[in-house]
Amino acid sequence: MLDKPNLPDETILACVQSAFGLPVTQIAFLPLGGDLSTAVYQATTADNRAYFCKLKLDEFDEASVTLPKFLSEQGLAAIIAPLTTQTGQLWANFDNFTLILYPFVEGTNGYEVELTARQWADFGAALRQIHTIHLPPGLAAQIRRESYSPEWRDGCRNIFRRLDEETFTDPIMLAMAAFLRPKRQMMLHAVERAEKLARALASDSAEFVLCHSDIHAGNLFIDTQGHLFIVDWDYPVLALKERDLMFIGGGQGFIPNIAAQEEELFYQGYGPGELDRLALIYYRYERCVTDIVVESGRILSSVLSSQERTQAFEYLQFYFLPGGTIEMAYKTDEPEHFRIFMEGMDAKQSLSQGNEW
């Protein structure tokens, strides 16, 4: 969230002091992250001990904290576990908000720094541990299972229907419409391919594993000592391992964006194993469809700020960049499908014409 929520700092401080028994005296809003239902703060005590405070303004999934706590207790060093309240809970509630507290770790995310070969290997090793861990039945029951839902595919079709049927006057909406309309065939083809593959995968009986599900570069965190952490466990899912592995070499913003290099370094840590090519194609298509729907929905929002909507348009354009998520989804598929992608990029408005940000 980029804009500070309309909530007094004193209210948050009081909750941290009461629930966690910590003598925090200051709290500072951090304009970070793309999740518009989450605000984050740095809370500091009088003796300069710092904590990372996460405030959920929307529906709260308990698995987002119980799972990383369990993984940390199993010895996964790449997990930052949430702190417990004085009553042993992993979160505190006040009004309609949920507050989660973590140790504050100095560092940067994977969008801002090039991972070393060692960090790529550590990333791979950590994800292998996650994919092979045995969950207690109670915890496993808290985590959603892959259903190959048509929600985002239907949402993409609806976005293009709106572009046909509505007249826009807002400058950001107008820019989005001009940018997306020439890419209709490309995106609706991606929807159709994802739908066909979803039906095939849903009839398969392949084993599901624990997946993070959103493991792009922004959800890797590297501290000042060079240690790598996997953060933001808001959307865990039991799914095919390709649900996570599609991010590697998938144009997800790692620096530099070289697919073969990402794969070579990552799999040195993850280890050998066959990938289900159809699952990889499905998840890459599904991801780019989801991203387009999420950012378009934010641009079309009547309640988000101009800053948040402008950022959403920047993200929307980013996905179409050379080597980005949409191109990599098509490249993973057959040459004929990649031709459709290239035709979409050569349509009336090129990417460069819409990429002035």
Side-chain angles (χ1 to χ4, degrees), residues 195-317:
E195 201 144 77
K196 181 177 180 180
L197 292 165
R199 289 194 295 268
L201 293 170
S203 65
D204 198 355
S205 58
E207 179 188 6
F208 282 179
V209 301
L210 172 64
C211 293
H212 179 282
S213 91
D214 197 29
I215 203 156
H216 54 71
N219 284 335
L220 294 187
F221 192 82
I222 298 91
D223 72 10
T224 54
Q225 304 302 310
H227 301 127
L228 180 141
F229 299 93
I230 297 173
V231 300
D232 194 353
W233 286 87
D234 285 351
Y235 308 106
V237 62
L238 298 175
L240 301 175
K241 65 182 184 300
E242 287 79 11
R243 180 66 183 84
D244 281 342
L245 296 178
M246 70 96 179
F247 288 90
I248 312 305
Q252 292 291 331
F254 298 102
I255 304 173
N257 185 7
I258 303 173
Q261 179 178 318
E262 291 179 17
E263 292 168 353
E264 178 186 359
L265 295 174
F266 173 85
Y267 284 104
Q268 287 178 9
Y270 189 86
E274 275 192 38
L275 289 177
D276 183 330
R277 181 173 170 273
L278 292 184
L280 199 65
I281 296 169
Y282 164 73
Y283 281 120
R284 286 185 174 168
Y285 275 131
E286 187 74 12
R287 176 70 185 202
C288 68
V289 167
T290 302
D291 285 339
I292 298 311
V293 174
V294 168
E295 304 308 340
S296 298
R298 290 172 178 176
I299 294 165
L300 295 168
S301 170
S302 60
V303 297
L304 296 183
S305 70
S306 176
Q307 181 185 15
E308 289 170 323
R309 293 169 59 245
T310 298
Q311 183 190 65
F313 185 47
E314 292 174 357
Y315 287 164
L316 178 70
Q317 295 171 93

Side-chain angles (χ1 to χ4, degrees), residues 67-347:
L67 178 59
K69 180 69 171 177
F70 169 79
L71 294 176
S72 177
E73 290 173 343
Q74 299 307 299
L76 274 71
I79 306 298
I80 302 173
L83 302 177
T84 55
T85 67
Q86 295 188 93
T87 59
Q89 280 194 305
L90 295 173
W91 65 90
N93 298 112
F94 65 99
D95 296 334
N96 295 320
F97 303 100
T98 303
L99 188 149
I100 307 142
L101 204 65
Y102 300 85
F104 193 91
V105 180
E106 292 283 353
T108 188
N109 68 46
Y111 283 135
E112 299 170 340
V113 62
E114 181 176 346
L115 301 186
T116 65
R118 175 58 186 271
Q119 288 163 347
W120 271 111
D122 288 346
F123 178 21
L127 204 55
R128 168 69 81 171
Q129 286 182 289
I130 291 164
H131 288 172
T132 55
I133 201 159
H134 176 71
L135 296 175
L139 180 55
Q142 294 181 29
I143 300 171
R144 65 187 177 93
R145 291 182 63 85
E146 178 63 83
S147 64
Y148 307 104
S149 166
E151 175 186 358
W152 298 109
R153 303 189 291 278
D154 290 344
C156 191
R157 293 187 182 101
N158 185 55
I159 290 294
F160 282 98
R161 274 195 294 269
R162 292 189 63 179
L163 293 181
D164 281 343
E165 297 169 1
E166 297 183 27
T167 301
F168 304 107
T169 57
D170 172 84
I172 305 173
M173 294 181 187
L174 280 169
M176 180 201 77
F179 181 78
L180 278 184
R181 280 176 180 142
K183 300 172 177 62
R184 169 192 306 276
Q185 180 191 8
M186 179 200 308
M187 289 310 305
L188 294 183
H189 178 80
V191 167
E192 291 167 7
R193 284 293 289 155
E195 201 144 77
K196 181 177 180 180
L197 292 165
R199 289 194 295 268
L201 293 170
S203 65
D204 198 355
S205 58
E207 179 188 6
F208 282 179
V209 301
L210 172 64
C211 293
H212 179 282
S213 91
D214 197 29
I215 203 156
H216 54 71
N219 284 335
L220 294 187
F221 192 82
I222 298 91
D223 72 10
T224 54
Q225 304 302 310
H227 301 127
L228 180 141
F229 299 93
I230 297 173
V231 300
D232 194 353
W233 286 87
D234 285 351
Y235 308 106
V237 62
L238 298 175
L240 301 175
K241 65 182 184 300
E242 287 79 11
R243 180 66 183 84
D244 281 342
L245 296 178
M246 70 96 179
F247 288 90
I248 312 305
Q252 292 291 331
F254 298 102
I255 304 173
N257 185 7
I258 303 173
Q261 179 178 318
E262 291 179 17
E263 292 168 353
E264 178 186 359
L265 295 174
F266 173 85
Y267 284 104
Q268 287 178 9
Y270 189 86
E274 275 192 38
L275 289 177
D276 183 330
R277 181 173 170 273
L278 292 184
L280 199 65
I281 296 169
Y282 164 73
Y283 281 120
R284 286 185 174 168
Y285 275 131
E286 187 74 12
R287 176 70 185 202
C288 68
V289 167
T290 302
D291 285 339
I292 298 311
V293 174
V294 168
E295 304 308 340
S296 298
R298 290 172 178 176
I299 294 165
L300 295 168
S301 170
S302 60
V303 297
L304 296 183
S305 70
S306 176
Q307 181 185 15
E308 289 170 323
R309 293 169 59 245
T310 298
Q311 183 190 65
F313 185 47
E314 292 174 357
Y315 287 164
L316 178 70
Q317 295 171 93
F318 173 78
Y319 303 131
F320 290 89
L321 286 172
T325 53
I326 298 175
E327 179 176 323
M328 296 312 296
Y330 272 88
K331 276 189 172 180
T332 309
D333 212 341
E334 297 173 1
E336 173 63 17
H337 302 291
F338 185 59
R339 180 188 62 78
I340 293 171
F341 169 81
M342 295 305 296
E343 288 177 351
M345 296 306 293
D346 290 338

